[in-house]
Amino acid sequence: QVQLVESGGGLVQAGGSLRLSCAASGRTFSGSAMGWFRQAPGKEREFVATITSRAKAFYADSAKGRFTISRDNAKNTVYLQMNSLKPEDTAVYYCAVSRSITPYSDSIYYSERLYGQWGQGTQVTVSS
């Protein structure tokens, strides 16, 4: 069973940048998709970005052009580079690893149901 630990969150002013990291232990995730989701107070958890085992990236509309997801399989680590941060980006950010299934459509990568293992989250706060 893989263990996921997020880091890199913190307080930043609007327009600033943060890089989140998600380190995995227990097994390699080279054959899995890795996703980032976030949850703001009083709101449902939402998709942010994901990267497939072939390193194809997908982004939520809110993240396109500002966020970049990447993975380093040798280090069992996935990253989320966040630039031009806005107050509405404030949330707890969670890393997740996909289940051992073959997605039948690209749209499945956006769904929480693809992911079976989750980290504890890291807080990102963006001040105006």
Side-chain angles (χ1 to χ4, degrees):
Q1 186 175 10
V2 66
Q3 301 293 122
L4 303 174
V5 180
E6 302 96 334
S7 63
L11 175 65
V12 65
Q13 289 186 286
S17 299
L18 286 172
R19 189 181 75 157
L20 306 184
S21 298
C22 174
S25 62
R27 67 169 179 86
T28 178
F29 57 64
S30 61
S32 303
M34 301 294 297
W36 286 98
F37 293 75
R38 68 187 183 188
Q39 187 169 26
K43 300 184 68 176
E44 296 291 322
R45 187 160 59 189
E46 65 178 1
F47 168 79
V48 178
T50 190
I51 185 165
T52 73
S53 62
R54 296 290 299 273
K56 183 177 181 180
F58 298 89
Y59 299 93
D61 288 342
S62 61
K64 290 179 180 176
R66 300 190 299 127
F67 295 1
T68 303
I69 188 170
S70 61
R71 64 192 296 162
D72 186 338
N73 289 339
K75 295 182 178 180
N76 265 3
T77 302
V78 63
Y79 305 94
L80 185 68
Q81 177 67 46
M82 304 188 294
N83 298 325
S84 302
L85 284 163
K86 306 173 182 179
E88 51 262 44
D89 294 318
T90 295
V92 177
Y93 284 70
Y94 297 91
C95 176
V97 60
S98 68
R99 303 177 187 274
S100 298
I101 60 173
T102 301
Y104 55 85
S105 171
D106 285 351
S107 64
I108 301 300
Y109 287 110
Y110 295 77
S111 175
E112 289 188 18
R113 63 184 175 178
L114 181 62
Y115 304 90
Q117 196 71 41
W118 297 78
Q120 293 299 114
T122 185
Q123 176 71 48
V124 171
T125 303
V126 184
S127 62
S128 60

